């Protein structure tokens, strides 16, 4: 599962920002080209975050679309499917751009424990 590798990068970013605060929830944006599945991502993140301030955090995934451009019919539209053929003319002379970003959008922290 390639989600594990991605999650290590996410966890690094989370820990740099959290700076020791307990993390309740994170929201990440992955381009559709990373082909990340929310359930696998949450599972993998739970695994890599074990023993850190982000252990047990909920993971929200936002999938960022790519743009498909067709040189045959001129179609240019956003897609969340990484298609190898044009959805309009079924031509194969298509180019997929974007959809490869990976961003930690936000972090929600646990309330500070009362002492
Ligand atoms: Zn086309």
């Amino acid at each position: 599962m390639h989600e594990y590798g991605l999650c290590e990068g996410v966890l690094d970013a989370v820990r740099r920002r959290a700076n020791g605060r307990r993390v309740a929830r994170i929201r990440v944006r992955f381009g559709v080209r990373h082909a990340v599945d929310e359930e696998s991502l949450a599972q993998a993140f739970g695994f890599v975050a074990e023993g850190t301030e982000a252990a047990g955090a909920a993971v929200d995934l936002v999938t960022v679309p790519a743009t498909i451009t067709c040189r045959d019919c001129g179609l240019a539209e956003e897609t969340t499917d990484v298609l190898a053929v044009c959805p309009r003319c079924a031509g194969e002379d298509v180019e997929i751009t974007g959809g490869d970003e990976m961003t930690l959008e936000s972090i929600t922290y646990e309330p500070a424990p009362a002492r």
Side-chain angles (χ1 to χ4, degrees):
M1 269 210 307
H2 72 300
E3 278 87 357
Y4 283 93
L6 297 172
C7 278
E8 284 173 2
V10 172
L11 181 64
D12 279 349
V14 168
R15 298 195 73 189
R16 267 199 304 275
R17 280 209 227 170
N19 199 18
R21 285 175 288 181
R22 290 278 303 148
V23 176
R25 175 173 287 269
I26 63 167
R27 190 172 173 89
V28 291
R29 296 169 66 88
F30 276 106
V32 65
R33 275 210 270 192
H34 287 291
V36 172
D37 168 70
E38 185 163 43
E39 204 174 307
S40 311
L41 183 72
Q43 217 173 64
F45 188 78
F47 183 81
V48 298
E50 187 88 19
T52 72
E53 58 270 57
V59 180
D60 290 328
L61 172 67
V62 181
T63 301
V64 182
T67 300
I68 183 166
T69 312
C70 175
R71 290 189 198 88
D72 288 338
C73 71
L75 174 89
E77 67 177 25
E78 288 197 329
T79 176
T80 51
D81 279 318
V82 180
L83 304 162
V85 296
C86 173
R88 187 157 74 191
C89 72
E92 287 175 21
D93 196 5
V94 295
E95 188 183 13
I96 307 276
T97 51
D100 50 7
E101 70 175 274
M102 174 178 151
T103 316
L104 173 61
E105 188 174 286
S106 63
I107 302 178
T108 308
Y109 300 102
E110 298 278 5
R115 296 197 179 172

